[in-house]
Amino acid sequence: SQKIEQNSEALNIQEGKTATLTCNYTNYSPAYLQWYRQDPGRGPVFLLLIRENEKEKRKERLKVTFDTTLKQSLFHITASQPADSATYLCALVTGTASKLTFGTGTRLQVTL
Amino acid sequence: DAEITQSPRHKITETGRQVTLACHQTWNHNNMFWYRQDLGHGLRLIHYSYGVQDTNKGEVSDGYSVSRSNTEDLPLTLESAASSQTSVYFCASSDSRGASETQYFGPGTRLLVL
C-alpha cells in the first residue's frame, strides 16, 4: 500500500541548532515533493518544492533534499529559532496533476 | 491582496442536518480542493475541482458533495452530518497554469457534529 511517513513524535531542539525532519514514502513515484508549515489554528503555508531530478533546494535557512532511490526527503532548518516552532508537512504530487498527498506532519519545538 | 477565505470558522451542528461550508478565493485559480484534517491522519482530500462545472471525488468523499458554478467558490456540503465528520476542514486553491502546483490554504473551519 502507499504510505507517506513523517515522524509523529515531536522534535525538540535548542535554538541555534539545525533541525532535520524526515519524509519517507513507499509505493509512490512522485514528480515532485513539497514542504509546508502549519501553525496551530491555521492552514498550511507553502515553503519549498523540489523536483524528482533535483537533489537539493535551498531558501534562506531552509534546505530540502530529495533521494528518489531511498524514497526520502530531508528538510533542514539551520540556525533554528523559537519562531520556527510549528508542524511541518511533506506532500507528494503523483499521477494526476495538481493533486497533493500529505504526510501526517512532524511538530518542531525550538527552545531557548 | 489575493486571498482564500472560509466561513464559518466554527460550526456546531446535530447529526442528520445538512451543513454547507463556504470557500472563496480571489487568486483567480482554476484548481480548488477540500481537505479534512484529523489527528493521526493528516490532511485527506475530500473533493477537488479543476474549473467551473468540474468536480472530482477524493480519498474520503462519502457523505460530502461540492459544486463549482464560478471560479471563485467551491462550497462543501455535508448531506446528513455524522459524528465521524467532526473535523477541521481546509479549502485550498492552486494555479493550473503554473508548474509548481503550490496550494494556498484557507484558515480552516472547525466543525463539531453532536
Side-chain angles (χ1 to χ4, degrees):
Chain A
S1 63
Q2 295 178 317
K3 261 196 264 186
I4 302 172
E5 292 181 318
Q6 295 185 257
N7 194 342
S8 58
E9 290 184 16
L11 177 63
N12 295 297
I13 65 164
Q14 206 171 18
E15 183 181 22
K17 303 287 187 187
T18 296
T20 298
L21 285 69
T22 305
C23 176
N24 294 299
Y25 59 92
T26 54
N27 296 321
Y28 284 105
S29 296
Y32 47 88
L33 187 147
Q34 301 182 3
W35 283 88
Y36 287 77
R37 170 185 172 138
Q38 187 174 22
D39 292 287
R42 294 178 174 261
V45 174
F46 171 77
L47 295 175
L48 277 171
L49 174 149
I50 186 163
R51 302 183 193 284
E52 61 179 334
N53 59 351
E54 297 175 318
K55 297 288 187 194
E56 183 180 297
K57 201 70 141 332
R58 290 176 186 262
K59 179 183 174 183
E60 297 172 354
R61 294 184 296 111
L62 308 180
K63 184 178 87 171
V64 172
T65 63
F66 193 12
D67 189 326
T68 55
T69 302
L70 289 179
K71 296 187 184 295
Q72 181 182 78
S73 175
L74 299 178
F75 177 81
H76 307 271
I77 306 175
T78 58
S80 58
Q81 305 165 358
D84 295 325
S85 299
T87 296
Y88 293 86
L89 308 169
C90 71
L92 307 182
V93 176
T94 63
T96 308
S98 305
K99 282 173 58 181
L100 294 178
T101 303
F102 283 86
T104 52
T106 298
R107 189 163 62 86
L108 173 66
Q109 185 71 40
V110 182
T111 54
L112 295 170
Chain B
D1 283 349
E3 61 178 354
I4 180 165
T5 56
Q6 294 183 235
S7 62
R9 294 294 314 278
H10 301 271
K11 174 81 177 176
I12 300 174
T13 191
E14 294 176 344
T15 302
R17 288 193 182 264
Q18 184 182 78
V19 175
T20 296
L21 308 183
C23 175
H24 179 80
Q25 53 99 2
T26 58
W27 289 99
N28 198 32
H29 285 163
N30 285 331
N31 304 332
M32 294 185 74
F33 308 85
W34 273 104
Y35 296 89
R36 60 178 289 174
Q37 187 172 40
D38 306 285
L39 274 174
H41 287 282
L43 284 159
R44 291 182 291 174
L45 185 62
I46 305 171
H47 281 285
Y48 58 102
S49 168
Y50 289 143
V52 176
Q53 302 301 332
D54 176 75
T55 62
N56 305 280
K57 292 181 179 181
E59 178 189 359
V60 289
S61 60
D62 286 349
Y64 303 94
S65 64
V66 294
S67 61
R68 187 92 179 268
S69 58
N70 59 52
T71 300
E72 296 80 19
D73 299 289
L74 187 70
L76 176 72
T77 297
L78 286 67
E79 305 293 346
S80 175
S83 57
S84 60
Q85 294 177 308
T86 292
S87 187
V88 181
Y89 291 85
F90 288 100
C91 179
S93 70
S94 69
D95 185 357
S96 61
R97 293 159 295 181
S100 70
E101 312 293 2
T102 300
Q103 292 191 9
Y104 297 84
F105 283 81
T109 293
R110 191 172 292 271
L111 177 68
L112 175 60
V113 182
L114 298 174

